[in-house]
Amino acid sequence: ETGVTQTPRHLVMGMTNKKSLKCEQHLGHNAMYWYKQSAKKPLELMFVYNFKEQTENNSVPSRFSPECPNSSHLFLHLHTLQPEDSALYLCASSQERDMNQPQHFGDGTRLSIL
Amino acid sequence: GENVEQHPSTLSVQEGDSAVIKCTYSDSASNYFPWYKQELGKRPQLIIDIRSNVGEKKDQRIAVTLNKTAKHFSLHITETQPEDSAVYFCAASRVGTALIFGKGTTLSVSS
């Protein structure tokens, strides 16, 4: 299934670097999500966009900055990250945020902070 | 807000046995309950979901049951196979909220 594509698949960066994660969905969905998945932890919802508008920010540190230029693309801009930010970052999409529809996930970006 | 508890955190079964994973939720208005399977190194994938207007749903070896009164729902896998080994996540939501996920259950099926 290639409905939700994330790039890069792996990223190693230093704490002072700036990088961006990209997510693209080809499913015609209007809601997109960023999740953080750490070892032995649940999926932590970070941000939700519905029709390009941010509807949720779950107390995420400002060193993570999301951007949603249109309903098909979602970015996560990273700067001055900490070692504890090393995790798998998953993007997902659904038809709409409020409509109780399944979410479709990408393969994730494995992020390692040196 | 919604809180989803999932048990057990790990489950080991022999091939051919049944496996049951249980989740409880706190928001009585929740009405959508999906289950996701995440194999090692892969994306979470939806395997089955249920809405609050039904009590049970089956898809081949997988079934989900919902008890709205007790606010819990369960995943049942029968005749388990080694390829069923994965992490399983339950989730819950109601109209107007994003999905809230449980902490996951690591299922190991040994042959």
Side-chain angles (χ1 to χ4, degrees), chain B residues 36-81:
Chain B
Y36 287 82
K37 174 184 180 183
Q38 187 177 25
E39 297 178 53
L40 189 63
K42 296 190 177 180
R43 68 181 74 186
Q45 290 195 300
L46 178 74
I47 55 172
I48 195 167
D49 57 7
I50 192 169
R51 299 180 189 276
S52 59
N53 58 343
V54 298
E56 183 176 2
K57 185 176 179 181
K58 288 183 179 181
D59 183 2
Q60 299 183 338
R61 298 186 295 108
I62 294 173
V64 57
T65 59
L66 172 65
N67 184 324
K68 288 185 293 183
T69 303
K71 289 189 287 187
H72 68 70
F73 56 112
S74 300
L75 177 71
H76 304 254
I77 305 174
T78 58
E79 300 173 27
T80 54
Q81 301 167 3

Side-chain angles (χ1 to χ4, degrees), chain B residues 63-110:
Chain B
V64 57
T65 59
L66 172 65
N67 184 324
K68 288 185 293 183
T69 303
K71 289 189 287 187
H72 68 70
F73 56 112
S74 300
L75 177 71
H76 304 254
I77 305 174
T78 58
E79 300 173 27
T80 54
Q81 301 167 3
E83 51 265 39
D84 294 329
S85 297
V87 180
Y88 291 81
F89 294 95
C90 65
S93 71
R94 59 177 172 84
V95 174
T97 69
L99 284 173
I100 302 299
F101 284 86
K103 291 185 177 182
T105 296
T106 300
L107 174 64
S108 299
V109 181
S110 53

Side-chain angles (χ1 to χ4, degrees), chain A residues 18-109:
Chain A
K18 291 184 179 181
K19 295 287 184 183
S20 296
L21 310 185
K22 179 182 176 182
C23 176
E24 184 174 1
Q25 58 95 2
H26 306 278
L27 301 169
H29 290 166
N30 296 302
M32 296 187 77
Y33 311 79
W34 278 118
Y35 288 89
K36 177 183 179 182
Q37 188 175 34
S38 306
K40 299 185 178 181
K41 285 190 175 181
L43 288 162
E44 300 175 68
L45 180 65
M46 300 175 71
F47 301 103
V48 181
Y49 279 82
N50 199 40
F51 291 95
K52 300 188 298 178
E53 298 298 320
Q54 186 179 126
T55 59
E56 285 188 46
N57 174 342
N58 277 5
S59 303
V60 180
S62 59
R63 57 186 184 269
F64 295 91
S65 175
E67 178 188 1
C68 188
N70 54 62
S71 294
S72 299
H73 294 85
L74 185 64
F75 296 89
L76 188 62
H77 303 299
L78 318 170
H79 64 97
T80 56
L81 295 191
Q82 304 299 310
E84 60 265 28
D85 297 324
S86 297
L88 180 68
Y89 288 84
L90 288 161
C91 173
S93 71
S94 67
Q95 189 61 45
E96 287 184 35
R97 172 188 173 274
D98 294 346
M99 297 304 290
N100 283 347
Q101 295 295 322
Q103 291 185 13
H104 297 258
F105 286 86
D107 287 325
T109 294

